[in-house]
Amino acid sequence: MQTIQANNYQVFFNDNGYTYLTETLTTSSYSKIFILVDENTAQFCLPKLLASLATEIEIEIIELEAGEEHKNIETCLQIWHSLTELGGDRKSIILNLGGGVITDIGGFIACTFKEVSILLIFLLRFYLWLMLL
């Protein structure tokens, strides 16, 4: 499958995406990987992602309830608390595994947890229909 070149980034598909993600994780010095999911992506997409990740970095899963109504500051507070309790730091990476709610909240969390310019984010927009192909 091809890669799409956008202005300042590339979009990878299928195994190309997993290869790029693995290369990114192994060539960087992340302290911990946090994967943000909702209950749907936890069930249908997370097992495939975990099976495809080749890393020795510790992985923590943060699961939210699905639905637009959970895109609020209370959910953000819960995630910030989870990141703190699970040892998140400026060298952690957040993988957002889901659609709009997960990537919107995950992006906001990454920009506001610890130091804005230090915590890195890697947005994964997997949709159930893509994962099940």
Side-chain angles (χ1 to χ4, degrees):
M1 177 120 349
Q2 290 185 316
T3 302
I4 297 174
Q5 178 65 47
N7 289 339
N8 296 320
Y9 61 92
Q10 293 178 315
V11 178
F12 298 91
F13 294 95
N14 294 337
D15 291 337
N16 292 338
Y18 293 118
T19 301
Y20 178 76
L21 178 59
T22 297
E23 288 173 5
T24 300
L25 294 175
T26 57
T27 59
S28 302
S29 53
Y30 298 114
S31 59
K32 191 175 277 193
I33 299 169
F34 292 94
I35 303 177
L36 186 62
V37 295
D38 67 20
E39 55 201 356
N40 295 319
T41 55
Q43 179 181 356
F44 297 107
C45 304
L46 184 60
K48 182 170 176 134
L49 175 64
L50 291 175
S52 300
L53 279 182
T55 182
E56 298 295 318
I57 304 169
E58 183 179 356
I59 298 172
E60 297 284 357
I61 310 300
I62 300 175
E63 184 176 334
L64 310 178
E65 292 182 51
E68 192 74 26
E69 65 273 13
H70 299 290
K71 193 189 314 185
N72 57 51
I73 197 67
E74 181 59 37
T75 301
C76 293
L77 288 170
Q78 293 169 3
I79 298 168
W80 287 320
H81 179 74
S82 294
L83 288 169
T84 301
E85 291 293 312
L86 295 170
D89 60 25
R90 298 181 307 185
K91 293 182 180 181
S92 299
I93 185 169
I94 299 174
L95 303 181
N96 299 317
L97 181 60
V101 173
I102 292 296
T103 55
D104 288 350
I105 286 180
F108 178 72
I109 292 298
C111 290
T112 55
F113 183 75
K114 302 292 180 180
E115 295 183 25
V116 173
S117 62
I118 305 292
L119 184 66
L120 300 175
I121 184 167
F122 189 94
L123 294 178
L124 298 174
R125 289 200 66 146
F126 287 105
Y127 292 96
L128 297 179
W129 62 273
L130 284 177
M131 295 301 293
L132 299 175
L133 289 178

mmCIF file of all heavy atoms in Angstrom, residues 36-38 64 71 94-110 121-127:
data_model
loop_
_atom_site.group_PDB
_atom_site.id
_atom_site.type_symbol
_atom_site.label_atom_id
_atom_site.label_comp_id
_atom_site.label_asym_id
_atom_site.label_seq_id
_atom_site.Cartn_x
_atom_site.Cartn_y
_atom_site.Cartn_z
ATOM 1 N N LEU A 36 -4.034 5.638 24.558
ATOM 2 C CA LEU A 36 -5.358 6.138 24.919
ATOM 3 C C LEU A 36 -6.374 5.504 23.972
ATOM 4 O O LEU A 36 -6.246 5.618 22.755
ATOM 5 C CB LEU A 36 -5.384 7.663 24.812
ATOM 6 C CG LEU A 36 -6.641 8.371 25.281
ATOM 7 C CD1 LEU A 36 -6.885 8.132 26.774
ATOM 8 C CD2 LEU A 36 -6.529 9.865 25.005
ATOM 9 N N VAL A 37 -7.368 4.817 24.540
ATOM 10 C CA VAL A 37 -8.384 4.118 23.753
ATOM 11 C C VAL A 37 -9.755 4.389 24.356
ATOM 12 O O VAL A 37 -9.876 4.823 25.497
ATOM 13 C CB VAL A 37 -8.150 2.592 23.743
ATOM 14 C CG1 VAL A 37 -6.861 2.237 23.041
ATOM 15 C CG2 VAL A 37 -8.181 2.008 25.141
ATOM 16 N N ASP A 38 -10.797 4.124 23.579
ATOM 17 C CA ASP A 38 -12.134 4.052 24.164
ATOM 18 C C ASP A 38 -12.516 2.578 24.222
ATOM 19 O O ASP A 38 -11.750 1.708 23.796
ATOM 20 C CB ASP A 38 -13.158 4.922 23.416
ATOM 21 C CG ASP A 38 -13.470 4.443 22.013
ATOM 22 O OD1 ASP A 38 -13.234 3.262 21.683
ATOM 23 O OD2 ASP A 38 -13.968 5.261 21.220
ATOM 24 N N LEU A 64 -11.133 5.009 27.992
ATOM 25 C CA LEU A 64 -12.252 5.916 28.247
ATOM 26 C C LEU A 64 -13.549 5.274 27.777
ATOM 27 O O LEU A 64 -13.530 4.369 26.951
ATOM 28 C CB LEU A 64 -12.069 7.225 27.478
ATOM 29 C CG LEU A 64 -10.740 7.961 27.594
ATOM 30 C CD1 LEU A 64 -10.762 9.195 26.704
ATOM 31 C CD2 LEU A 64 -10.467 8.328 29.026
ATOM 32 N N LYS A 71 -16.123 13.994 25.843
ATOM 33 C CA LYS A 71 -15.105 14.976 25.463
ATOM 34 C C LYS A 71 -15.330 16.212 26.322
ATOM 35 O O LYS A 71 -15.975 17.172 25.918
ATOM 36 C CB LYS A 71 -15.199 15.316 23.974
ATOM 37 C CG LYS A 71 -13.986 16.080 23.471
ATOM 38 C CD LYS A 71 -14.073 16.647 22.075
ATOM 39 C CE LYS A 71 -14.584 15.774 21.004
ATOM 40 N NZ LYS A 71 -14.507 16.412 19.667
ATOM 41 N N ILE A 94 2.299 9.471 23.995
ATOM 42 C CA ILE A 94 0.896 9.071 24.015
ATOM 43 C C ILE A 94 0.505 8.658 22.601
ATOM 44 O O ILE A 94 0.659 9.422 21.655
ATOM 45 C CB ILE A 94 -0.021 10.217 24.480
ATOM 46 C CG1 ILE A 94 0.331 10.648 25.900
ATOM 47 C CG2 ILE A 94 -1.485 9.790 24.390
ATOM 48 C CD1 ILE A 94 -0.434 11.868 26.369
ATOM 49 N N LEU A 95 0.003 7.435 22.476
ATOM 50 C CA LEU A 95 -0.543 6.961 21.207
ATOM 51 C C LEU A 95 -2.053 7.007 21.331
ATOM 52 O O LEU A 95 -2.622 6.368 22.212
ATOM 53 C CB LEU A 95 -0.093 5.533 20.909
ATOM 54 C CG LEU A 95 1.407 5.270 20.872
ATOM 55 C CD1 LEU A 95 1.671 3.811 20.551
ATOM 56 C CD2 LEU A 95 2.093 6.161 19.872
ATOM 57 N N ASN A 96 -2.695 7.780 20.494
ATOM 58 C CA ASN A 96 -4.151 7.911 20.524
ATOM 59 C C ASN A 96 -4.738 6.949 19.507
ATOM 60 O O ASN A 96 -4.614 7.166 18.310
ATOM 61 C CB ASN A 96 -4.563 9.348 20.191
ATOM 62 C CG ASN A 96 -4.011 10.322 21.205
ATOM 63 O OD1 ASN A 96 -4.049 10.073 22.393
ATOM 64 N ND2 ASN A 96 -3.479 11.422 20.730
ATOM 65 N N LEU A 97 -5.370 5.911 19.993
ATOM 66 C CA LEU A 97 -5.900 4.867 19.128
ATOM 67 C C LEU A 97 -7.410 5.020 19.047
ATOM 68 O O LEU A 97 -8.147 4.567 19.908
ATOM 69 C CB LEU A 97 -5.520 3.483 19.674
ATOM 70 C CG LEU A 97 -5.971 2.283 18.865
ATOM 71 C CD1 LEU A 97 -5.392 2.324 17.457
ATOM 72 C CD2 LEU A 97 -5.572 1.009 19.576
ATOM 73 N N GLY A 98 -7.873 5.717 18.028
ATOM 74 C CA GLY A 98 -9.305 5.943 17.889
ATOM 75 C C GLY A 98 -9.600 7.035 16.891
ATOM 76 O O GLY A 98 -8.743 7.452 16.131
ATOM 77 N N GLY A 99 -10.811 7.486 16.944
ATOM 78 C CA GLY A 99 -11.293 8.511 16.038
ATOM 79 C C GLY A 99 -11.233 9.889 16.674
ATOM 80 O O GLY A 99 -10.314 10.205 17.433
ATOM 81 N N GLY A 100 -12.238 10.696 16.399
ATOM 82 C CA GLY A 100 -12.240 12.102 16.784
ATOM 83 C C GLY A 100 -12.138 12.379 18.267
ATOM 84 O O GLY A 100 -11.341 13.215 18.689
ATOM 85 N N VAL A 101 -12.934 11.736 19.096
ATOM 86 C CA VAL A 101 -12.915 12.013 20.535
ATOM 87 C C VAL A 101 -11.553 11.664 21.120
ATOM 88 O O VAL A 101 -10.952 12.465 21.839
ATOM 89 C CB VAL A 101 -14.037 11.245 21.273
ATOM 90 C CG1 VAL A 101 -13.911 11.401 22.776
ATOM 91 C CG2 VAL A 101 -15.407 11.725 20.810
ATOM 92 N N ILE A 102 -11.053 10.486 20.810
ATOM 93 C CA ILE A 102 -9.765 10.052 21.361
ATOM 94 C C ILE A 102 -8.631 10.948 20.884
ATOM 95 O O ILE A 102 -7.793 11.369 21.678
ATOM 96 C CB ILE A 102 -9.486 8.580 21.003
ATOM 97 C CG1 ILE A 102 -10.462 7.657 21.715
ATOM 98 C CG2 ILE A 102 -8.040 8.188 21.314
ATOM 99 C CD1 ILE A 102 -10.358 7.673 23.230
ATOM 100 N N THR A 103 -8.580 11.260 19.597
ATOM 101 C CA THR A 103 -7.472 12.080 19.111
ATOM 102 C C THR A 103 -7.593 13.534 19.554
ATOM 103 O O THR A 103 -6.582 14.178 19.815
ATOM 104 C CB THR A 103 -7.322 11.979 17.579
ATOM 105 O OG1 THR A 103 -8.553 12.319 16.955
ATOM 106 C CG2 THR A 103 -6.912 10.583 17.164
ATOM 107 N N ASP A 104 -8.809 14.049 19.682
ATOM 108 C CA ASP A 104 -8.984 15.417 20.190
ATOM 109 C C ASP A 104 -8.533 15.516 21.644
ATOM 110 O O ASP A 104 -7.748 16.389 22.013
ATOM 111 C CB ASP A 104 -10.443 15.865 20.075
ATOM 112 C CG ASP A 104 -10.881 16.134 18.652
ATOM 113 O OD1 ASP A 104 -10.019 16.161 17.752
ATOM 114 O OD2 ASP A 104 -12.094 16.303 18.433
ATOM 115 N N ILE A 105 -9.040 14.611 22.472
ATOM 116 C CA ILE A 105 -8.678 14.642 23.897
ATOM 117 C C ILE A 105 -7.195 14.322 24.069
ATOM 118 O O ILE A 105 -6.488 14.976 24.835
ATOM 119 C CB ILE A 105 -9.542 13.669 24.713
ATOM 120 C CG1 ILE A 105 -10.950 14.237 24.863
ATOM 121 C CG2 ILE A 105 -8.941 13.403 26.084
ATOM 122 C CD1 ILE A 105 -11.896 13.370 25.660
ATOM 123 N N GLY A 106 -6.708 13.311 23.352
ATOM 124 C CA GLY A 106 -5.309 12.931 23.476
ATOM 125 C C GLY A 106 -4.356 14.042 23.079
ATOM 126 O O GLY A 106 -3.331 14.256 23.722
ATOM 127 N N GLY A 107 -4.685 14.762 22.022
ATOM 128 C CA GLY A 107 -3.855 15.900 21.620
ATOM 129 C C GLY A 107 -3.832 16.994 22.668
ATOM 130 O O GLY A 107 -2.781 17.549 22.981
ATOM 131 N N PHE A 108 -5.012 17.288 23.221
ATOM 132 C CA PHE A 108 -5.096 18.302 24.278
ATOM 133 C C PHE A 108 -4.312 17.869 25.513
ATOM 134 O O PHE A 108 -3.558 18.660 26.091
ATOM 135 C CB PHE A 108 -6.565 18.565 24.626
ATOM 136 C CG PHE A 108 -6.747 19.560 25.738
ATOM 137 C CD1 PHE A 108 -6.504 20.908 25.524
ATOM 138 C CD2 PHE A 108 -7.157 19.150 26.993
ATOM 139 C CE1 PHE A 108 -6.658 21.836 26.551
ATOM 140 C CE2 PHE A 108 -7.317 20.064 28.025
ATOM 141 C CZ PHE A 108 -7.068 21.411 27.800
ATOM 142 N N ILE A 109 -4.461 16.616 25.895
ATOM 143 C CA ILE A 109 -3.748 16.094 27.071
ATOM 144 C C ILE A 109 -2.239 16.202 26.870
ATOM 145 O O ILE A 109 -1.507 16.643 27.756
ATOM 146 C CB ILE A 109 -4.156 14.630 27.334
ATOM 147 C CG1 ILE A 109 -5.609 14.545 27.795
ATOM 148 C CG2 ILE A 109 -3.219 13.961 28.339
ATOM 149 C CD1 ILE A 109 -5.913 15.241 29.095
ATOM 150 N N ALA A 110 -1.766 15.788 25.696
ATOM 151 C CA ALA A 110 -0.329 15.818 25.436
ATOM 152 C C ALA A 110 0.224 17.238 25.480
ATOM 153 O O ALA A 110 1.349 17.451 25.910
ATOM 154 C CB ALA A 110 -0.031 15.175 24.087
ATOM 155 N N ILE A 121 3.611 13.549 21.030
ATOM 156 C CA ILE A 121 2.370 12.850 20.703
ATOM 157 C C ILE A 121 2.472 12.279 19.309
ATOM 158 O O ILE A 121 3.034 12.885 18.423
ATOM 159 C CB ILE A 121 1.156 13.784 20.830
ATOM 160 C CG1 ILE A 121 -0.115 13.004 20.576
ATOM 161 C CG2 ILE A 121 1.255 14.967 19.925
ATOM 162 C CD1 ILE A 121 -1.351 13.748 20.966
ATOM 163 N N PHE A 122 1.959 11.118 19.168
ATOM 164 C CA PHE A 122 1.912 10.447 17.872
ATOM 165 C C PHE A 122 0.462 10.072 17.651
ATOM 166 O O PHE A 122 -0.089 9.247 18.364
ATOM 167 C CB PHE A 122 2.796 9.193 17.929
ATOM 168 C CG PHE A 122 3.001 8.545 16.612
ATOM 169 C CD1 PHE A 122 4.102 8.861 15.849
ATOM 170 C CD2 PHE A 122 2.103 7.620 16.131
ATOM 171 C CE1 PHE A 122 4.316 8.255 14.635
ATOM 172 C CE2 PHE A 122 2.303 7.006 14.919
ATOM 173 C CZ PHE A 122 3.415 7.323 14.163
ATOM 174 N N LEU A 123 -0.191 10.750 16.751
ATOM 175 C CA LEU A 123 -1.615 10.519 16.548
ATOM 176 C C LEU A 123 -1.839 9.364 15.591
ATOM 177 O O LEU A 123 -1.357 9.363 14.478
ATOM 178 C CB LEU A 123 -2.292 11.773 15.972
ATOM 179 C CG LEU A 123 -2.327 12.976 16.877
ATOM 180 C CD1 LEU A 123 -2.976 14.149 16.153
ATOM 181 C CD2 LEU A 123 -3.071 12.671 18.150
ATOM 182 N N LEU A 124 -2.550 8.382 16.075
ATOM 183 C CA LEU A 124 -2.933 7.253 15.235
ATOM 184 C C LEU A 124 -4.435 7.331 15.044
ATOM 185 O O LEU A 124 -5.176 7.265 15.994
ATOM 186 C CB LEU A 124 -2.606 5.932 15.933
ATOM 187 C CG LEU A 124 -1.168 5.661 16.254
ATOM 188 C CD1 LEU A 124 -1.079 4.381 17.068
ATOM 189 C CD2 LEU A 124 -0.376 5.507 14.989
ATOM 190 N N ARG A 125 -4.857 7.479 13.827
ATOM 191 C CA ARG A 125 -6.297 7.508 13.576
ATOM 192 C C ARG A 125 -6.681 6.210 12.897
ATOM 193 O O ARG A 125 -6.711 6.113 11.695
ATOM 194 C CB ARG A 125 -6.660 8.717 12.734
ATOM 195 C CG ARG A 125 -6.504 9.996 13.562
ATOM 196 C CD ARG A 125 -7.256 11.105 12.991
ATOM 197 N NE ARG A 125 -8.675 10.818 13.069
ATOM 198 C CZ ARG A 125 -9.582 11.736 13.262
ATOM 199 N NH1 ARG A 125 -9.228 12.969 13.421
ATOM 200 N NH2 ARG A 125 -10.842 11.426 13.275
ATOM 201 N N PHE A 126 -6.900 5.222 13.732
ATOM 202 C CA PHE A 126 -7.363 3.936 13.237
ATOM 203 C C PHE A 126 -8.879 3.919 13.369
ATOM 204 O O PHE A 126 -9.421 4.265 14.393
ATOM 205 C CB PHE A 126 -6.805 2.784 14.072
ATOM 206 C CG PHE A 126 -5.360 2.519 13.846
ATOM 207 C CD1 PHE A 126 -4.425 2.907 14.774
ATOM 208 C CD2 PHE A 126 -4.935 1.869 12.703
ATOM 209 C CE1 PHE A 126 -3.090 2.651 14.583
ATOM 210 C CE2 PHE A 126 -3.603 1.613 12.495
ATOM 211 C CZ PHE A 126 -2.675 2.003 13.434
ATOM 212 N N TYR A 127 -9.547 3.481 12.364
ATOM 213 C CA TYR A 127 -10.986 3.310 12.422
ATOM 214 C C TYR A 127 -11.267 1.821 12.358
ATOM 215 O O TYR A 127 -10.512 1.060 11.767
ATOM 216 C CB TYR A 127 -11.664 4.033 11.266
ATOM 217 C CG TYR A 127 -11.553 5.521 11.398
ATOM 218 C CD1 TYR A 127 -10.550 6.225 10.738
ATOM 219 C CD2 TYR A 127 -12.422 6.226 12.223
ATOM 220 C CE1 TYR A 127 -10.427 7.584 10.874
ATOM 221 C CE2 TYR A 127 -12.309 7.587 12.357
ATOM 222 C CZ TYR A 127 -11.298 8.257 11.679
ATOM 223 O OH TYR A 127 -11.179 9.618 11.831
#
